[in-house]
Amino acid sequence: MIENSFNRRDFLKVLGWGGATVALSGCGNTSVEDGREYVTSYVETADYIIPSIGTYFNSTCAQCDAGCGIMGRVREGRVLKLEGNPDSPINSGKMCGLGQAGVQAHYNPDRVREPLLRNGDKGEAITWEKALQLVSEKVASANPGSVAFLTGGVSGHVKVLLKNYLDAIGSDRHYVYEAVAPSVVRAANKKAYGVEMPRLRLDRAKVVVSFGADFLGTWVSPVHFSRQYAKFRKGVNGERGVLVQVESKMTITGANADRWLAIRPGTEGILALGLVNALSAAGLTVPAEVAAAVKDYTLDRVSNDTGVSVEHIGKLTALLKDRSPSLVIAGGAAEGYAHGSQNAAAVALLNQVLGNVGKTVEAPASMPFPQMAPITGNRSSLQALNDSIAQDGVKVLFNCGANPIYSAPASMNMKESLKKVPFKVAFAHYMDETAMEADLVLPLNSSMEDWGTVVPEYFAEGAQLNIQQPLMEKLHPGTLGMGDVLLALLKQRRPAEYNGYEDYYAYLKNAMVAIKGALGGENEDDDVFWDSVLSQGVVKLTSSSNALVSSASAAGLQLPPPAAEDGTYPLRLIPAVTPNMRDGRHANEPWLQESPDPLTTIVWDSWVEMHPKTAAKLGVVEGDIVEVASKNGAIKGQVYVYSGIHPDVISVPLGYGHEAMGRYSKGVGANAFKILDPVFDQQTGELAMYETRVKVTKAGKRVIVVKDEGPAGGNQSGRRIALRMASGKVNLAEEV
Amino acid sequence: MYRFLRLSVLLVGLIAAVGSVAVHAAQPLTTADDLGPVVDQPIEFPHDRHAGDAAKGGMQINCMYCHTYARRSNVAGIPPLQKCIGCHRSIESVRETPRIKKLFEYWEAKKPVPWKKVHDLPDFVRFNHERHIQRFVFAQEKPVQEACGYCHGDVKTMTVARRQKPLSMGWCVSCHQKDHPVSATSTKTTHGPNDCWQCHK
Amino acid sequence: MSITNLLQNWSDFRQQHPSDERPHQEYKWAMSIDLDLCTGCNACSVACYAENNLPAVGKEKFSHGHSHHWLRIERYWHNEDREYADQGAQFLPMMCQQCEAAPCETVCPVGATNHTADGLNSQVYNRCVGSRYCNANCPYKARYFNWYDYPTTADVWPAPMEQQLNPDVTVRGKGVMEKCTFCVQRLTVAKSNARTEGRSVHDGEVQTACQQACPTGAISFGNLIDPESRVAKQWEKQQVKLNHDKQAKDAVHDGDKLRGYRILENLRTYPSVMYLEQLREGAI
């Protein structure tokens, strides 16, 4: 340290002057680079393509099944960025981060680029012609009943073609498997309301009580619900909507709640019935049989069972009674138990008692073209396939959009099981775990390169048909769309019917034009109609609504008492669905790996979340490596401690721990799917995701958790950075 | 020792400052010419034949007939091949000449001609043709060839284009610092932006 | 650029702060972020990566603090000693606040960061020499340094991922600072289009990438000078004045009814981003 009157300020002053003038004199130099680069020029182009000005084309996002409309900004023949399509009622021009990463799925360096045929441990590139020839041979030589398709959720014209192909080969075996689909809630809704997914009007509710439904993050249609949430918070006449989230592990929706109630895992139904009882006691008119059925759910008992304080139950009761209409939603937390259907039924009953049916729980629009309506499925579908394979009932298996070797619990032994299938074809974007075991891998177009129609699982308003059109030429000449492949296969089976279509585009255009009357284009010229459909990206369909029934009843509701603790496996594992990773299919998109988890801010790795009490009991601190072991396997992870989780529970995010797929996903984190216990919802047979019991032990050296929150861990240290005030002090109606 | 250090730092600063002034004096920032290198193109396109004066055998085609995007985009643009073919498919007299034959080869193969970029500014610079054309051609009503010529020189005397001006920041800034009338009829004057982010990306 | 010119500019730098005597002409870009609507979903952050050619640096570099999220979501807890985080979290999107009296502008040794006529804090990559003084001075730590040459670093933009890069935004090499630009590339296009039509940019005609993505519409962006713009109306309603370091409404004891504030306003940076306080219901 220089010690005298010469100080740093003088030094910098001088240096600054010298530096600045030297830099400025660089004005005279030039870094013009004549003749070294090529100019982009076209051979023939449409008038509206102007170099350096982006053209926007509408399409549909395929990153999850919400079916948001997107616009791709295309410059010089490449799609650069995606925005929301303002004309789509689902997302109204907005997009989530997962959707933005669609371009990374498209430009991903690890995409499969050509058909690969297994030769020992390797995949040899073959032509599509040979590949399809092989497929036809294998299918022809197998008993039709032994040919099966395993897909993720499908809808639109690909669904139609798939069914037609299965018909053509004489098989009806289509299994649909989505690892994180809300199947139990759907079944419960069907019983309670007559429809699998009623239309939820958050924007009309004054209070929303969500039993673990992460509608802002991952549940059903997050962007759409976020749009509604914005209106909900602004409220009617400035009366801001109140959100209460009840769950054992905080989701992003929980992080935005006015009150987050940590609940003992599995007791959501008890709380719901307790609220019915409390509402009845508070004077709300409740049908006699319901009141009788819930009379044992007293405040004390409910509080004892659930861990939610009497005070909060009281306040929640008052809130629900005073502010109507409200909306109660059952989500992943409620449904994840062996009695998940019962939990969901109890929540539906609460909605009914509150009079919300018809106000904030509405009939959804029906799809006027049911053959294109989306089908979904969950683990029970996969189990049925597995059972059949065990009995040698599957000789040829096609897989498209499902990765069961990765996402099925280890207890299902998918890898071993699939080895029994003599010929497996995987339609894939990546060489993921299931594709690695296939005999033939057929590379798919990305959603940015494909034609298609998509019917969203959740209609925002009326029924709609989303259009998918290529946003640029195919990146890799060796990929094909699923529609193209099915059409090629169908041409071999039913040439008379399908040979007239040059490709899937021709088929799709023809099929759409054929129903143009129902799509609002009866008087339009075919080509004009088609162009306008592509230009809009979303076609609104006229449809009717099935009536909603209000048949939730207390009869037959059998809620078990809170589960006893298992001595050997004292904690419960919550495998969390995070907005970035979901079921792991996008783990190879680096923006998503680098996007911090909203609750823990952790990046590029998975973690084991626990409450400070739990950590104290286990003698661990943040960064300790622990082993999380269930009866069915064990994984390791870094500890993260925070108070957004119930002490009886630990949570590990899903979507990590890939063993194949690509450079950004392989070996990153641990796969929580594997260790899930084979416990099932008693009514639907679906995997009860929250029933896994684990023990946690220290297993390795402490690491520094790589996260975004900094050493203060979310503490503002007294500075006024993120401010919060009581809602009563503000009149939102006066705001702009 | 510290006094030495202080003195030397001050001296370095002084020399640098003086030096920059000297450099500044030696290189006046004007619209002076600075010939770029000859850039070979796949087809030696004769601007003189197309844009040149009739007296010299040219067809006096407006710059923006081909470089049509100049008035509405950042880039003036190289025309799509269909523009060349649009005329040349009907010009029998030159149909079999070597350059035109080559042109049609590209057309038959549906391949764009791989033109080399002559006026290639660095990637961190944003240059907007539209604003300049809107100002000089449409507002000030200068003839197109004159306006384009401010920066590209007298292209109608060239075959393939060759850079005529330095295209350096100082050269751009020297013009941006000069006042000019807002339009052909106005007495109001303005000058180009000196805002860093107008031109730097 | 003469010595007198330099001295004048330097003196301007040091004395510059927004004042009524030198109002912005035509455009002053500003933002307003409603913290009660922000759900912390990170869509804005990912959209920014897509629009501005941000490199995903990977785990190791992230752990060194070398991440490049120009727009980051800060997540705060306010639990005191309660057993649970039972009022949720506070999410704060933080990006360059485009301060009118930016502490970063005065300390750049080479003058790579300046103030534009439309009220943005500009960063010129080719002038930057990488002293990193600007981020040291930034109270919001909203500036990011390219510690590595990401275009040539393996797995940052492996083919064909480089085709996604936005040609309107420089791809930065090693040794330069970068930060949120309020999507200046979009603003320039919008202003140019408007100028060709002989008008100013309308409200809503140009959106920043983060604003366009945000599912709840928490981000409001526009021209503070245009009285019809949403952002101007919000600032007006919240009684937050751009060129005051202490707002009149804060002096009033009962001034609880307004949610608008600026972060670290007392440091006299005069930021161009106003936040609306998050709310929590008292009845539950």
Side-chain angles (χ1 to χ4, degrees):
Chain A
M1 208 52 198
I2 300 176
E3 239 187 338
N4 68 355
S5 57
F6 179 83
N7 63 27
R8 202 164 136 261
R9 229 169 255 162
D10 291 335
F11 182 89
L12 284 164
K13 226 186 260 183
V14 166
L15 199 64
W17 284 25
T21 50
V22 166
L24 286 172
S25 74
C27 269
N29 297 323
T30 179
S31 1
V32 175
E33 305 168 325
D34 315 2
R36 281 198 240 144
E37 289 183 12
Y38 291 102
V39 193
T40 309
S41 67
Y42 295 101
V43 176
E44 270 179 289
T45 183
D47 280 344
Y48 55 78
I49 304 288
I50 300 177
S52 96
I53 297 183
T55 314
Y56 288 86
F57 294 92
N58 280 333
S59 186
T60 303
C61 180
Q63 299 281 89
C64 82
D65 40 39
C68 296
I70 56 175
M71 298 192 301
R73 176 175 178 238
V74 179
R75 256 194 70 171
E76 283 83 66
R78 315 189 301 286
V79 59
L80 300 177
K81 179 151 190 323
L82 303 174
E83 311 291 350
N85 179 355
D87 293 329
S88 170
I90 293 181
N91 56 320
S92 312
K94 301 302 185 175
M95 277 195 95
C96 71
L98 188 64
Q100 290 286 331
V103 280
Q104 286 213 318
H106 169 63
Y107 287 113
N108 207 293
D110 296 320
R111 273 176 67 192
V112 191
R113 301 184 186 193
E114 49 203 348
L116 299 170
L117 182 63
R118 174 178 290 282
N119 182 355
D121 271 342
K122 300 214 181 312
E124 283 175 356
I126 59 168
T127 62
W128 271 99
E129 213 188 321
K130 283 213 183 73
L132 291 175
Q133 176 83 359
L134 181 61
V135 165
S136 291
E137 280 167 17
K138 293 285 183 182
V139 167
S141 64
N143 178 352
S146 71
V147 178
F149 259 84
L150 173 67
T151 68
V154 278
S155 68
H157 288 86
V158 160
K159 179 189 171 199
V160 172
L161 279 186
L162 179 56
K163 175 151 196 315
N164 290 351
Y165 178 63
L166 282 168
D167 283 346
I169 62 174
S171 165
D172 64 350
R173 304 186 63 189
H174 179 192
Y175 300 89
V176 181
Y177 170 59
E178 287 284 347
V180 297
S183 316
V184 172
V185 163
R186 282 179 193 280
N189 283 341
K190 187 92 186 177
K191 275 211 182 121
Y193 307 116
V195 293
E196 283 198 349
M197 190 55 78
R199 190 169 161 216
L200 303 177
R201 300 303 302 266
L202 278 90
D203 54 334
R204 283 202 188 146
K206 292 194 181 162
V207 181
V208 170
V209 181
S210 167
F211 285 84
D214 185 16
F215 58 83
L216 293 178
T218 58
W219 194 72
V220 181
S221 199
V223 179
H224 176 64
F225 289 135
S226 296
R227 298 294 303 135
Q228 288 197 324
Y229 172 80
K231 293 187 195 138
F232 163 77
R233 284 304 199 190
K234 289 301 176 200
V236 178
N237 295 327
E239 194 184 342
R240 175 175 174 271
V242 179
L243 172 62
V244 177
Q245 187 90 355
V246 180
E247 54 193 5
S248 309
K249 173 234 149 13
M250 190 180 278
T251 57
I252 195 178
T253 311
N256 283 287
D258 293 277
R259 180 64 57 188
W260 183 73
L261 294 172
I263 190 170
R264 184 166 290 120
T267 60
E268 290 83 1
I270 296 177
L271 181 62
L273 294 185
L275 285 168
V276 173
N277 196 23
L279 283 163
S280 170
L284 191 72
T285 318
V286 170
E289 54 103 13
V290 173
V294 302
K295 69 173 173 14
D296 291 331
Y297 291 87
T298 58
L299 270 183
D300 284 326
R301 178 237 167 133
V302 169
S303 177
N304 208 28
D305 283 350
T306 62
V308 178
S309 72
V310 169
E311 182 205 346
H312 278 130
I313 299 177
K315 280 188 175 163
L316 187 51
T317 307
L319 200 67
L320 284 170
K321 179 159 181 299
D322 295 338
R323 303 194 197 189
S324 182
S326 56
L327 174 61
V328 187
I329 312 178
E335 69 173 355
Y337 302 96
H339 58 279
S341 290
Q342 302 284 337
N343 274 346
V347 170
L349 181 64
L350 179 57
N351 246 341
Q352 196 170 293
V353 157
L354 284 167
N356 295 332
V357 180
K359 292 196 194 138
T360 54
V361 181
E362 286 181 353
S366 63
M367 174 59 179
F369 301 101
Q371 68 273 31
M372 291 202 276
I375 34 171
T376 186
N378 205 330
R379 195 216 64 93
S380 61
S381 184
L382 187 65
Q383 185 62 48
L385 174 64
N386 221 15
D387 290 340
S388 173
I389 292 175
Q391 287 153 17
D392 285 328
V394 181
K395 298 294 179 200
V396 179
L397 179 64
F398 293 91
N399 177 32
C400 176
N403 190 0
I405 294 185
Y406 169 76
S407 56
S411 58
M412 287 182 76
N413 268 319
M414 282 311 305
K415 195 165 171 179
E416 290 310 308
S417 171
L418 285 175
K419 282 190 179 18
K420 295 181 89 183
V421 179
F423 188 65
K424 298 180 286 292
V425 181
F427 294 96
H429 293 111
Y430 301 103
M431 289 303 292
D432 60 23
E433 289 84 351
T434 307
M436 291 290 271
E437 296 298 313
D439 300 294
L440 179 64
V441 177
L442 298 178
L444 288 177
N445 285 345
S446 77
S447 63
M448 314 267 116
E449 307 169 316
D450 227 356
W451 290 100
T453 48
V454 177
V455 179
E457 299 221 0
Y458 182 86
F459 286 140
E461 297 167 356
Q464 62 184 82
L465 185 61
N466 296 335
I467 307 298
Q468 209 170 50
Q469 66 171 323
L471 298 178
M472 61 183 277
E473 289 283 339
K474 276 198 301 202
L475 267 182
H476 311 296
T479 59
L480 273 184
M482 196 60 199
D484 288 312
V485 177
L486 287 171
L487 191 65
L489 291 171
L490 273 164
K491 280 184 188 179
Q492 288 166 352
R493 286 278 169 165
R494 289 184 177 163
E497 210 179 317
Y498 290 97
N499 269 348
Y501 303 114
E502 188 191 328
D503 52 21
Y504 181 60
Y505 168 70
Y507 168 82
L508 189 64
K509 179 175 175 189
N510 189 290
M512 290 290 286
V513 159
I515 54 171
K516 71 178 180 185
L519 306 183
E522 356 14 65
N523 299 319
E524 276 179 7
D525 166 71
D526 284 355
D527 287 327
V528 168
F529 165 74
W530 178 239
D531 277 345
S532 74
V533 159
L534 292 182
S535 164
Q536 286 157 30
V538 176
V539 183
K540 296 186 187 145
L541 307 170
T542 41
S543 65
S544 56
S545 298
N546 307 319
L548 259 196
V549 302
S550 244
S551 62
S553 87
L557 260 187
Q558 286 275 345
L559 291 176
E565 202 184 272
D566 180 332
T568 327
Y569 298 98
L571 292 166
R572 210 185 269 267
L573 169 67
I574 290 187
V577 182
T578 63
N580 288 332
M581 287 302 145
R582 291 181 71 99
D583 63 356
R585 70 184 65 190
H586 298 297
N588 208 47
E589 288 150 41
W591 289 340
L592 298 177
Q593 289 278 7
E594 189 127 324
S595 177
D597 172 67
L599 276 312
T600 63
T601 75
I602 293 176
V603 296
W604 288 101
D605 206 345
S606 54
W607 60 89
V608 181
E609 237 168 80
M610 59 180 74
H611 192 272
K613 277 192 195 156
T614 319
K617 240 199 235 170
L618 294 169
V620 296
V621 297
E622 178 178 305
D624 276 332
I625 300 294
V626 291
E627 184 185 80
V628 176
S630 73
K631 285 201 193 87
N632 293 279
I635 52 174
K636 288 208 177 106
Q638 53 187 347
V639 170
Y640 182 82
V641 180
Y642 81 138
S643 53
I645 188 166
H646 193 275
D648 291 349
V649 151
I650 58 146
S651 179
V652 177
L654 291 170
Y656 293 92
H658 280 277
E659 290 166 335
M661 200 177 177
R663 68 195 71 187
Y664 302 111
S665 49
K666 188 169 171 184
V668 173
N671 185 356
F673 277 115
K674 288 289 147 218
I675 67 172
L676 297 179
D677 284 341
V679 179
F680 310 102
D681 172 65
Q682 280 148 7
Q683 284 186 15
T684 60
E686 296 298 353
L687 186 66
M689 298 279 281
Y690 286 22
E691 286 277 19
T692 303
R693 307 300 189 109
V694 294
K695 60 179 187 265
V696 178
T697 44
K698 241 197 208 166
K701 260 173 60 167
R702 187 174 306 162
V703 298
I704 296 178
V705 175
V706 181
K707 51 184 182 154
D708 203 29
E709 66 181 353
N715 194 334
Q716 292 181 59
S717 309
R719 287 171 301 171
R720 293 168 46 83
I721 300 177
L723 301 184
R724 176 191 270 173
M725 60 198 275
S727 60
K729 290 192 170 175
V730 141
N731 185 353
L732 290 175
E734 280 177 2
E735 285 192 358
V736 170
Chain B
M1 186 201 159
Y2 295 127
R3 196 201 286 167
F4 171 71
L5 195 61
R6 177 165 54 170
L7 191 63
S8 58
V9 166
L10 277 165
L11 266 174
V12 164
L14 198 63
I15 288 169
V18 167
S20 78
V21 173
V23 167
H24 164 259
Q27 203 173 36
L29 304 173
T30 66
T31 51
D33 288 350
D34 176 18
L35 218 46
V38 170
V39 176
D40 285 322
Q41 299 289 358
I43 300 175
E44 198 200 349
F45 176 78
H47 277 100
D48 49 2
R49 197 73 64 79
H50 292 79
D53 295 333
K56 300 210 176 110
M59 287 181 285
Q60 297 181 179
I61 299 176
N62 187 314
C63 309
M64 284 200 279
Y65 178 77
C66 293
H67 298 286
T68 182
Y69 310 112
R71 63 178 174 82
R72 49 192 166 146
S73 167
N74 284 337
V75 303
I78 299 292
L81 204 49
Q82 74 194 45
K83 183 144 267 185
C84 312
I85 301 297
C87 282
H88 275 280
R89 64 180 177 199
S90 318
I91 309 179
E92 289 306 320
S93 57
V94 295
R95 181 65 182 82
E96 296 304 318
T97 58
R99 286 182 282 183
I100 303 301
K101 277 198 2 211
K102 200 163 178 201
L103 184 77
F104 273 88
E105 271 166 31
Y106 281 107
W107 176 249
E108 306 296 319
K110 292 293 179 227
K111 273 190 161 344
V113 181
W115 302 109
K116 285 259 170 60
K117 198 160 160 74
V118 176
H119 300 87
D120 193 2
L121 293 176
D123 284 347
F124 48 79
V125 171
R126 196 207 312 274
F127 175 75
N128 190 338
H129 271 93
E130 178 181 353
R131 295 262 57 76
H132 293 79
I133 302 301
Q134 292 289 330
R135 171 70 66 207
F136 296 119
V137 175
F138 293 107
Q140 288 190 7
E141 293 172 15
K142 295 267 191 287
V144 172
Q145 282 187 353
E146 180 185 325
C148 302
Y150 291 147
C151 306
H152 294 288
D154 201 6
V155 178
K156 69 177 186 295
T157 58
M158 305 178 205
T159 57
V160 293
R162 185 179 176 182
R163 183 169 59 80
Q164 302 294 314
K165 306 284 182 178
L167 301 188
S168 61
M169 175 174 165
W171 175 79
C172 295
V173 168
S174 66
C175 188
H176 273 218
Q177 285 175 340
K178 293 194 206 141
D179 283 337
H180 57 71
V182 165
S183 73
T185 48
S186 174
T187 47
K188 194 166 139 211
T189 59
T190 181
H191 60 82
N194 64 350
D195 207 322
C196 300
W197 258 355
Q198 280 295 108
C199 306
H200 282 274
K201 286 195 202 172
Chain C
M1 282 297 190
S2 64
I3 294 256
T4 37
N5 201 343
L6 184 69
L7 284 170
Q8 180 60 39
N9 288 341
W10 217 255
S11 145
D12 273 349
F13 268 172
R14 287 176 177 268
Q15 287 163 39
Q16 197 164 52
H17 61 83
S19 68
D20 292 321
E21 290 95 50
R22 284 195 301 183
H24 290 276
Q25 307 289 343
E26 206 180 4
Y27 296 108
K28 161 61 203 157
W29 302 110
M31 220 182 235
S32 157
I33 301 184
D34 190 341
L35 297 179
D36 198 43
L37 288 184
C38 175
T39 61
C41 72
N42 255 289
C44 51
S45 191
V46 182
C48 181
Y49 270 76
E51 174 76 17
N52 293 297
N53 305 336
L54 297 182
V57 299
K59 188 176 184 183
E60 194 188 338
K61 297 190 171 92
F62 203 105
S63 74
H64 297 158
H66 294 169
S67 59
H68 271 265
H69 39 24
W70 288 5
L71 171 56
R72 60 178 189 260
I73 303 294
E74 299 186 344
R75 188 266 292 120
Y76 295 105
W77 301 110
H78 194 50
N79 306 331
E80 285 108 23
D81 291 317
R82 299 199 298 278
E83 191 184 4
Y84 296 113
D86 56 8
Q87 283 193 303
Q90 290 171 270
F91 295 107
L92 183 83
M94 173 53 67
M95 76 298 272
C96 171
Q97 306 279 289
Q98 314 288 347
C99 306
E100 284 295 306
C104 57
E105 286 172 16
T106 51
V107 295
C108 175
V110 295
T113 173
N114 303 292
H115 220 72
T116 67
D118 45 4
L120 300 173
N121 170 259
S122 65
Q123 175 70 27
V124 179
Y125 303 119
N126 60 306
R127 182 168 285 194
C128 175
V129 293
S131 77
R132 311 196 302 279
Y133 198 161
C134 48
N135 194 33
N137 235 28
C138 174
Y140 310 101
K141 291 294 173 269
R143 283 168 155 276
Y144 300 88
F145 184 66
N146 281 277
W147 293 94
Y148 300 90
D149 192 47
Y150 291 110
T152 56
T153 303
D155 289 345
V156 175
W157 288 300
M161 240 182 214
E162 83 287 356
Q163 293 190 35
Q164 186 274 328
L165 293 171
N166 186 353
D168 289 334
V169 178
T170 306
V171 180
R172 285 79 59 191
K174 182 172 173 172
V176 297
M177 293 295 286
E178 56 185 50
K179 64 177 189 69
C180 164
T181 62
F182 272 9
C183 284
V184 66
Q185 65 279 7
R186 296 182 175 203
L187 302 180
T188 309
V189 168
K191 289 194 311 187
S192 176
N193 289 341
R195 179 70 67 84
T196 301
E197 290 175 28
R199 57 171 177 85
S200 284
V201 175
H202 296 142
D203 187 40
E205 189 184 339
V206 63
Q207 294 185 71
T208 56
C210 51
Q211 174 199 19
Q212 194 166 10
C214 176
T216 53
I219 302 180
S220 216
F221 171 83
N223 182 4
L224 212 54
I225 295 186
D226 174 5
E228 293 308 304
S229 74
R230 179 149 196 264
V231 78
K233 287 183 188 163
Q234 283 178 309
W235 281 60
E236 174 76 38
K237 203 64 183 185
Q238 300 294 332
Q239 295 176 27
V240 173
K241 288 199 176 347
L242 180 67
N243 52 8
H244 289 197
D245 62 327
K246 276 199 257 294
Q247 303 301 331
K249 62 156 180 170
D250 292 330
V252 175
H253 168 71
D254 208 5
D256 288 350
K257 296 191 226 92
L258 297 171
R259 308 196 276 146
Y261 72 103
R262 294 186 296 177
I263 299 181
L264 299 176
E265 202 175 31
N266 52 308
L267 295 180
R268 302 178 65 208
T269 50
Y270 305 96
S272 307
V273 180
M274 175 181 75
Y275 292 86
L276 301 174
E277 287 189 41
Q278 189 191 53
L279 297 169
R280 282 295 181 256
E281 172 64 46
I284 173 80

